[in-house]
């Protein structure tokens, strides 16, 4: 039978076995961690292994440097021989030496290529090409000393280009990379120096440059070798850009049809080159790589075509038709967008070029539009000085009228028509219609001034434009903004005459009031603004004093308050109320010079604010109403030159405090500011103002005692309004009493003491900044807990 130990003994055996297992597990885990670390750590290098020294320059690079230096030195030696030692040999010796050296230098690359020494062959071939240049120079010095520089350079460069091309195309030498680029580089000179040799004028020289650019373009489109193609592209862009700049200058400065025609021919040549390159690039098998170049070149070719035809027409037309003619040719480019035979890239380039021409034409009209819009503002300084004969005189008051601006409205209308008819894409159609609206508005705005219409007729046209543009079914809210701008332009232009001002402002007020049923958010405030301006104009026409005009202006806040109570849209209500408030501020400013009238205006504003506060969503305006009544009281006391305002304010304060107490008893949640604030402020603030100007001690003492009492009461009963108002008045009153002593102490101290004290104060505040923040937060919380 199996022997089972007692439970206590069996438990001891199990614990001992588990302890041994835990110890073994810990040992195995440590060993595993060491093995993992050893595997992750890279093996150290052998003790005596040293890294192999890496050469700083590869062998091919060293070879190329040596060959280049050798070729340069040989060229220098040949040049020195040609310039210095040439005269020591006879004609036969010269020919023998120069011919032998050149022939040897040109023939050696063949043998070198057969042995596989390509770099050496390139270096020797470069030496041979340089020697041919020296040969040409030597021939000029000995055989052709009478030849002029330009003809000889043209002939020599052409022959050298042909020689180097033939040399590079020889079957044994076709692997050399230097001869063909050198031939292309020499080919840049013959036409330019040939034009100089023929005593050609600027047109001939420019033609030579453009023809050379055309040759480079052909090479760039057909060449397969990388260096040749790169050099051709650089030449085509460089010489083409220079030729276009020269041709454009000649076209702009052309004084007659003949000169303009020759310049136009040069521009057409440049346009043809660019178009051919764009067409070939867009149609090539590798069109993806050349799409950007083709697109840019198609734009350039279209712009050059417009410049050529426009310059030709400009020479026969007045200056005012320069931009319209170019615009017409720019719009004609859109006809090239329709044919399907053109590559897509070229068609897009022509469309972009047409848009660019139209945009530049619109930019040309901006000075006319700016003068028309901003010029009438100058009538503010010359109001009612007399109506001008025509609307241009009303527009160009202090700003000169732009020259050759007679066709500006035509340009704007044409571009607007193109936008409306040409843009059919669904996504761009709304934007195009908005642009059409803006351009048509600008044309209508500038037309009266451009045509120099009579002053009254011009104002009528501006009013008509305001109504028509506001009724536009497209382009909202842009149309509304344009209508407001036009109406403002009309208002400023009407300032030239008193009758025109009153008529225009009255018509604008009535118009915007009538259309407010549709565009309330904007037109209702506009009607109120023009009504305010009309009230001021009526007062000025009646020769009233400003304070009496203020009473007339107050009709606008009244109308605004009534309209705001009737409106249902929150945005419209807010804009109307803001406009009414601005008109009320204007009335206060007009009445500021007459204290009795100012008190009356303040009271009337308080009545308007009280009426607004009766609305459920505007109860907070009641505070403004109370402040306005309080200010009206103070201003009236000041007007009566009252020295003891407490006799008038205390009878108001005591009932107000009693009413506040009854309200808090019925509604304990009522704030102390609502219950006691107005009543306390009615007496405390006027008394504080009088105390600051009182040289005696009685009023400041009584005011201080009253303020101290209010502070203690506010703190004792937990009321915020008495605490804050009483404490503030007490502090200001104490500061007033201590001010003379502070001045005496300040005068007795050296001048460096105040800055030093200020610096110490700033340091102390900075050092305890965080603590001060906590103190302020604690004080704010305590005040917030008060009722």
């Amino acid at each position: 039978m199996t022997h089972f130990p007692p439970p206590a003994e069996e438990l001891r055996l199990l614990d001992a076995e588990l302890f041994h297992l835990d110890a073994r597990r810990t040992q195995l885990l440590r060993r595993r961690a060491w093995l993992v670390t050893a595997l992750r750590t890279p093996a150290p290098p052998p003790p005596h292994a040293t890294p192999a020294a890496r050469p700083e320059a590869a062998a091919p690079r060293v070879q190329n440097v040596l060959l280049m230096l050798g070729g340069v030195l040989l060229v220098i030696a040949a040049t020195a021989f040609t310039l210095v030692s040439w005269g020591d040999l006879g004609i036969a010796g010269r020919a023998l030496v120069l011919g032998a050296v050149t022939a040897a230098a040109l023939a050696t690359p063949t043998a070198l290529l057969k042995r596989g020494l390509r770099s050496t062959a390139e270096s020797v071939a470069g030496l041979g090409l340089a020697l041919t240049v020296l040969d040409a120079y030597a021939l000029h010095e000995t055989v052709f000393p009478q030849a002029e520089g330009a003809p000889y350079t043209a002939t020599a460069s052409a022959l050298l280009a042909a020689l180097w091309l033939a040399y590079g195309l020889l079957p044994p030498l076709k692997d050399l990379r230097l001869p063909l680029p050198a031939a292309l580089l020499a080919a840049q000179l013959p036409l330019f120096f040939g034009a100089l040799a023929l005593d050609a004028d600027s047109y001939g020289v420019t033609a030579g440059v453009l023809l050379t650019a055309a040759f480079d373009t052909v090479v760039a489109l057909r060449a397969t070798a990388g260096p040749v193609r790169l050099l051709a592209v650089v030449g085509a862009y460089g010489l083409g850009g220079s030729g276009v700049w020269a041709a454009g200058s000649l076209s702009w400065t052309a004084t007659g049809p003949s000169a303009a025609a020759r310049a136009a021919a040069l521009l057409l040549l440049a346009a043809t080159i660019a178009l051919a390159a764009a067409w070939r690039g867009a149609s090539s098998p590798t069109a993806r790589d050349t799409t950007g170049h083709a697109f840019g070149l198609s734009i350039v070719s279209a712009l050059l075509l417009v410049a050529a035809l426009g310059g030709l027409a400009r020479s026969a037309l007045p200056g005012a038709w320069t931009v319209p003619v170019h615009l017409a040719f720019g719009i004609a480019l859109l006809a090239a967008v329709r044919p399907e035979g053109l590559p897509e890239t070229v068609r897009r380039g022509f469309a972009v070029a047409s848009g660019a021409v139209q945009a530049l034409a619109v930019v040309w009209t901006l000075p006319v539009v700016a003068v028309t819009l901003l010029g009438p503002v100058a009538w503010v300084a010359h109001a009612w000085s007399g109506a001008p004969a025509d609307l241009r005189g009303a527009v160009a008051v202090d700003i000169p009228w732009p020259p050759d601006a007679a066709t500006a409205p035509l340009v704007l209308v044409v571009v607007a028509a193109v936008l409306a008819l040409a843009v059919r894409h669904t996504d761009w159609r709304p934007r195009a219609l908005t642009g059409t609206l803006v351009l048509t508005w600008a044309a209508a705005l500038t037309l009266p001034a451009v045509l120099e219409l009579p002053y009254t007729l011009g104002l009528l046209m501006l009013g008509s434009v305001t109504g028509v543009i506001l009724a536009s079914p497209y382009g909202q809210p842009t149309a509304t903004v344009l209508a407001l701008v036009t109406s403002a332009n009309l208002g400023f232009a009407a300032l030239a005459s008193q009758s025109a001002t009153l008529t225009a402002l009255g018509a604008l007020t009535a118009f915007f009031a009538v259309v407010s049923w549709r565009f309330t958010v904007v037109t209702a405030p506009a009607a109120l603004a023009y009504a305010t301006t009309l009230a001021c104009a009526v007062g000025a026409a009646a020769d009233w004093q400003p304070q009496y005009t203020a009473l007339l202006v107050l009709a606008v806040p009244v109308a605004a308050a009534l309209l705001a109570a009737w409106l249902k849209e929150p945005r419209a209500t807010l804009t109307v109320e803001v406009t009414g408030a601005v008109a009320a501020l204007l009335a206060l400013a007009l009445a500021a010079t007459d204290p009795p009238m100012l008190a009356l205006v303040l009271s009337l504003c308080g009545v308007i604010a009280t009426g607004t506060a009766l609305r459920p969503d505007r109860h907070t305006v009641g505070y403004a109403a109370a402040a306005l009544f309080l200010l009206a009281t103070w201003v009236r006391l000041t007007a009566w030159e009252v020295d003891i305002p407490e006799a008038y304010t205390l009878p108001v304060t005591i009932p107000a405090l009693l009413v506040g107490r009854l309200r808090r008893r019925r509604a304990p949640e009522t704030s102390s500011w609502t219950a006691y604030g107005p009543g306390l402020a009615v007496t405390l603030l006027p008394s504080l103002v009088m105390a600051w100007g009182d040289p005696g001690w009685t009023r400041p003492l009584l005011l201080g005692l009253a303020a101290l009492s209010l502070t203690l009461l506010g703190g004792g009963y937990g009321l915020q309004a008495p605490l804050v108002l009483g404490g503030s008045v007490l502090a200001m009153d104490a500061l007033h009493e201590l001010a003379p002593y502070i001045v005496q102490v300040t005068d007795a101290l050296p001048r460096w003491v105040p800055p030093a004290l200020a610096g110490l104060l700033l340091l102390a505040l900075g050092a305890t900044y965080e603590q001060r923040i906590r103190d302020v937060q604690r004080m704010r919380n305590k005040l917030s807990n008060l009722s």
Side-chain angles (χ1 to χ4, degrees), residues 103-430:
L106 293 177
T108 303
T110 303
L112 293 176
L113 288 175
K114 289 181 180 180
R115 294 178 177 272
L117 302 176
R118 181 173 177 176
S119 299
T120 307
E122 291 282 359
S123 179
V124 176
L127 174 62
L129 297 179
L131 288 175
T132 56
V133 177
L134 294 177
D135 291 343
Y137 171 76
L139 287 175
H140 179 268
E141 294 297 322
T142 58
V143 182
F144 306 105
Q146 303 299 325
E148 296 183 0
Y152 186 81
T153 302
T155 305
S157 59
L159 293 176
L160 287 176
L163 174 63
W164 293 348
L165 176 61
Y167 181 73
L169 294 178
L170 291 175
L173 302 175
K174 62 181 181 180
D175 293 334
L176 293 178
R177 292 178 295 180
L178 188 59
L180 294 182
L184 180 60
L185 187 62
Q188 309 300 308
L189 303 178
L191 291 178
F192 177 76
F193 283 99
L196 295 180
L198 297 175
D199 294 330
D201 54 6
S202 300
Y203 298 92
V205 175
T206 303
V209 172
L210 289 175
L211 290 175
T212 305
F215 171 74
D216 291 337
T217 302
V218 174
V219 174
L221 293 174
R222 303 183 66 88
T224 57
V228 176
R229 188 174 184 180
L230 177 61
L231 185 61
V233 169
V234 173
Y237 278 110
L239 294 178
S242 302
V244 167
W245 180 266
S249 301
L250 292 173
S251 176
W252 186 258
T253 57
T255 57
S258 176
R262 287 187 291 170
L266 295 175
L267 290 173
L268 288 176
L269 174 60
T272 303
I273 297 170
L275 180 59
W279 198 311
R280 177 63 183 272
S283 305
S284 64
T286 59
R288 292 184 179 180
D289 300 332
T290 58
T291 300
H293 291 281
F295 180 65
L297 288 173
S298 61
I299 295 175
V300 171
S301 64
L303 293 178
L304 290 176
L305 180 63
V306 172
L309 299 178
L312 185 61
R314 184 181 64 247
S315 62
L317 294 174
W321 290 94
T322 298
V323 174
V325 166
H326 284 80
L327 177 61
F329 290 120
I331 295 173
L333 291 176
L334 295 176
V337 180
R338 300 299 180 185
E340 298 297 333
L342 288 177
E344 178 63 23
T345 304
V346 176
R347 287 191 293 165
R348 287 194 297 110
F350 273 49
V352 171
S354 176
V357 173
Q358 296 178 58
L360 290 175
V362 172
V363 170
W364 173 76
T365 64
L366 290 182
V368 182
V369 178
V371 170
T372 305
L373 277 177
L374 303 178
V377 179
W379 284 110
V380 174
H382 310 286
W384 298 354
S385 59
D390 52 54
L391 195 63
R392 183 180 296 184
V395 167
V397 183
D398 294 334
I399 304 176
W401 184 254
D404 298 331
T407 55
L410 175 63
V411 170
L412 293 169
V413 170
V414 170
V415 177
V418 172
L419 272 179
L421 298 175
V423 181
R424 294 295 181 182
H425 195 275
T426 306
D427 296 337
W428 289 92
R429 183 66 177 171

Side-chain angles (χ1 to χ4, degrees), residues 607-636:
V607 172
I608 298 172
T610 302
T612 303
L614 295 177
R615 291 162 47 193
D617 57 338
R618 291 294 187 268
H619 285 328
T620 55
V621 183
Y623 296 105
L628 289 170
F629 284 125
L630 184 62
L631 288 174
T633 303
W634 295 345
V635 172
R636 173 56 64 182

Side-chain angles (χ1 to χ4, degrees), residues 79-94:
T79 303
F81 170 78
T82 304
L83 296 177
V84 178
S85 302
W86 185 259
D88 298 336
L89 300 176
I91 296 179
R94 300 171 186 173

Side-chain angles (χ1 to χ4, degrees), residues 616-668:
D617 57 338
R618 291 294 187 268
H619 285 328
T620 55
V621 183
Y623 296 105
L628 289 170
F629 284 125
L630 184 62
L631 288 174
T633 303
W634 295 345
V635 172
R636 173 56 64 182
L637 293 176
T638 303
W640 287 340
E641 298 181 357
V642 174
D643 296 333
I644 308 176
E646 293 81 4
Y648 300 91
T649 58
L650 284 176
V652 177
T653 297
I654 294 174
L657 294 177
L658 293 176
V659 172
R661 176 59 182 168
L662 292 175
R663 182 174 180 181
R664 278 184 62 86
R665 180 174 295 180
R666 293 179 180 177

